Amino acid sequence: MIIDCHGHYTTVPAAHTEWRVAQLAAWEAGLTAPSYPDISDGDLRESIEGSQLKLMRERGVDLTIFSPRASAMAHHQGDEGVSRAWAEACNNLIARVADLYPDNFVGVAQLPQSPGVPIANSIAELRRCVLELGFVGCNLNPDPSGGHWDSPPLTDRSWYPFYEAMVELDVPAMVHVSAVTNPNFHATGSAYLNADTTAFMQFLQSDLFKDFPTLRIVIPHGGGAVPYHWGRFRGLADMLKRPPLDESVMNNVFFDTCVYHQPGINLLFEVIDVDNLLFGSEMVGAVRGIDPETGHYFDDTKRYVETLKLPPSDLDKVYELNARRVYPRLNRAR
């Protein structure tokens, strides 16, 4: 089986997005948001079968760990109540897709984060998604401000209540920021990769995983700049009198293969241990076009992995076994 650990519902029915616009407009006007629209199963099938599911079948992917569109989480918009209603609507839609296609999709939760609001307030939605909707993890935004980074580091104790819930439920989190309002950053070109790199450095500097030895964190987009600068991070760990990365971080942190060229994948697998790598493509996502140098889609990451000619045992880890270890709730249903 090939499990894609990084998929977003980027092709939602138009009525869902239109409701979000109306919800925010109502909040700005001090009015009650309109009722959520009636979206039929047919609408969902139409949005999935010509996009995600079609590409999965063409590329040989069996199961996608599926979450709401990352850029649309927009935790900086509205207030806590707005964010909660939006997260619930998005998660309910993911659950419906997973119910319609149980062999192809399994849910990961969007959290109702909001700037200045304790992350503990997101625990109830995590529990609902895991215990009632059958989700296997969540996306955790280290910067709900929209690119201004005024939240405490992920290693601050203010995050601990949420980590305690993750450990109790036995689910991982993927570090994933959302849209940005800071004009210095392009969302997918810099904000996402900056967040991935920043999260790793925060983990390097802390004893978070001593406090939570079974906590599991996925850093997407190939780990941001981390594999490329692995020597720098190893050197910083030494300079800061931190334990070696293999001891202090890499038992708990995993990278996906959302790297959109062959040399990048080659480096990722050369530097990072195969036990820490999960197959991911983020389709249909940040980079949707065809690479003029290869004639193939940039996000067809399976092609890059296949070119590595890994031993079958390593390929099994990357395609399936590592995902089952990091997302153990997969094993309860599949």
Side-chain angles (χ1 to χ4, degrees), residues 39-271:
I39 297 175
S40 69
D41 286 353
D43 294 332
L44 296 181
R45 292 185 186 280
E46 183 179 357
S47 73
I48 287 289
E49 292 185 0
S51 55
Q52 274 92 352
L53 195 56
K54 176 177 180 289
L55 290 172
M56 287 169 62
R57 288 168 174 163
E58 289 177 354
R59 299 178 187 181
V61 175
D62 300 298
L63 177 69
T64 293
I65 298 176
F66 206 43
S67 64
R69 184 177 182 178
S71 62
M73 295 189 299
H75 293 120
H76 62 282
Q77 293 186 297
D79 59 14
E80 182 180 9
V82 167
S83 186
R84 184 170 303 283
W86 177 231
E88 290 173 357
C90 291
N91 290 330
N92 290 343
L93 214 59
I94 293 290
R96 288 182 61 191
V97 170
D99 286 343
L100 288 172
Y101 301 97
D103 294 331
N104 304 112
F105 298 98
V106 64
V108 158
Q110 172 179 325
L111 299 174
Q113 295 178 247
S114 190
V117 175
I119 189 62
N121 291 19
S122 292
I123 293 173
E125 180 63 5
L126 177 68
R127 289 189 182 279
R128 183 182 79 93
C129 288
V130 172
L131 300 178
E132 298 179 23
L133 302 184
F135 286 17
V136 298
C138 65
N139 288 339
L140 184 64
N141 187 350
D143 175 36
S145 73
H148 299 275
W149 286 92
D150 53 8
S151 295
L154 287 170
T155 52
D156 186 85
R157 287 188 173 271
S158 61
W159 297 88
Y160 275 32
F162 192 82
Y163 297 150
E164 290 168 359
M166 286 174 55
V167 169
E168 176 194 340
L169 295 167
D170 201 16
V171 295
M174 177 177 282
V175 172
H176 214 307
V177 291
S178 184
V180 295
T181 60
N182 187 331
N184 290 289
F185 302 117
H186 181 276
T188 56
S190 58
Y192 286 14
L193 304 181
N194 291 347
D196 303 333
T197 309
T198 298
F200 186 87
M201 188 64 200
Q202 290 175 1
F203 298 146
L204 182 159
Q205 293 175 270
S206 79
D207 289 323
L208 175 66
F209 301 124
K210 285 186 178 180
D211 294 337
F212 295 97
T214 62
L215 187 68
R216 299 180 302 281
I217 303 289
V218 179
I219 298 182
H221 318 114
V226 175
Y228 187 70
H229 288 287
W230 191 244
R232 176 180 291 256
F233 289 105
R234 289 179 53 242
L236 285 169
D238 181 65
M239 290 173 60
L240 295 171
K241 309 302 181 185
R242 301 295 303 161
L245 297 179
D246 289 346
E247 297 176 13
S248 63
V249 178
M250 297 308 288
N251 288 322
N252 305 83
V253 170
F254 307 86
F255 301 160
D256 69 14
T257 62
C258 292
V259 178
Y260 295 150
H261 67 143
Q262 190 66 54
I265 289 288
N266 295 349
L267 182 141
L268 177 65
F269 277 77
E270 180 179 353
V271 173

Side-chain angles (χ1 to χ4, degrees), residues 272-295:
I272 304 302
D273 190 276
V274 71
D275 288 337
N276 292 87
L277 297 174
L278 281 65
F279 176 73
S281 70
E282 202 181 349
M283 67 175 184
V284 179
V287 181
R288 305 186 185 190
I290 293 176
D291 186 343
E293 296 181 5
T294 66

